[in-house]
Amino acid sequence: MAAAAHGGDYLGRFVAETGWYNEIVLSAVAPGNWWRGLPHPVQSWLRNCVGGYLLYYISGFLWCFVIYYWKRHAYIPKDAIPTNEAMKKQIIVASKAMPFYCALPAVSEYMIESGWTRCFFNISEVGVPMYFINLALYLIFVEFGIYWMHRELHDIKPLYKYLHATHHIYNKENTLSPFAGLAFHPVDGILQAIPHVFALFIFPTHFRTHIALIFLEAVWTANIHDCIHGKVWPVMGAGYHTIHHTTYRHNYGHYTIWMDWMFGTLREPVDILKNE
């Protein structure tokens, strides 16, 4: 792999980087120094758990405060606002799954640190133009992978019954909320995120960009579950994804509508929001 070709000193930069992340996060939240004796991948998993929970709770509560209380009825009709009980159940499901979700970036970091992937450390190693070309290829691959993973989680009945159905109990506008974005069976959530890891073996990928994109998934999934149709083409916004939750057979895409358009599963959103 590309990173391995540079040798141990180069790979040590990845270890030093994730060690720095661990130091910042764990020294701030963990009492004492007990965590320092843990293996490096376990430290990274703990750090990812802290980051995952904080990102989920802070973004979710702020998002809900703005759209359901501060700007109440500005974006969503009164009868489409989820109950506190519905959001509480979503938070419980996501919170139980979070430690499993956070194992995926810990595993990807270990593979990067071991030189198994095509990750590079600095953008200057490939140049800015190639950085953006590789990033575009990475995102196209991830979009393709998530589309087909998501679609098969519907089409293969046992996968739907035992995994994906946990997420699809939220099937109306008044049961969806930003907190539903990570309310999955843990295996389901990992399967839908795993294209991010597969991409590392195919495309030269900037390490920090990969880590950022993994965690930005939490924000993106909150966005597509808030039922606010942003009407920004070709973005797979909440208007499209709400249709997915009500028809079960359309709009499997993640970032954009292009895969659904290419494979015949696109359905344009009706205006489910209050006319402005």
Side-chain angles (χ1 to χ4, degrees), residues 39-116:
H40 181 77
V42 177
Q43 292 184 28
S44 297
W45 172 71
L46 287 173
R47 176 250 301 162
N48 289 331
C49 286
V50 173
Y53 279 117
L54 287 176
L55 188 60
Y56 177 70
Y57 293 144
I58 292 172
S59 64
F61 280 110
L62 284 176
W63 212 303
C64 291
F65 173 75
V66 171
I67 65 177
Y68 300 145
Y69 297 98
W70 185 28
K71 298 290 186 179
R72 191 175 180 86
H73 311 325
Y75 302 112
I76 298 174
K78 182 178 180 179
D79 60 0
I81 295 177
T83 64
N84 290 336
E85 185 64 24
M87 289 188 284
K88 178 181 176 181
K89 289 179 179 178
Q90 293 162 9
I91 292 170
I92 291 172
V93 171
S95 297
K96 288 180 178 179
M98 189 67 72
F100 298 94
Y101 297 160
C102 292
L104 187 65
V107 169
S108 77
E109 289 174 27
Y110 177 78
M111 292 189 295
I112 292 165
E113 293 162 0
S114 300
W116 300 347

Side-chain angles (χ1 to χ4, degrees), residues 13-34:
R13 299 167 74 181
F14 296 110
V15 178
E17 180 82 2
T18 54
W20 179 57
Y21 298 162
N22 296 344
E23 180 70 28
I24 291 173
V25 174
L26 297 180
S27 64
V29 301
N33 294 315
W34 58 269

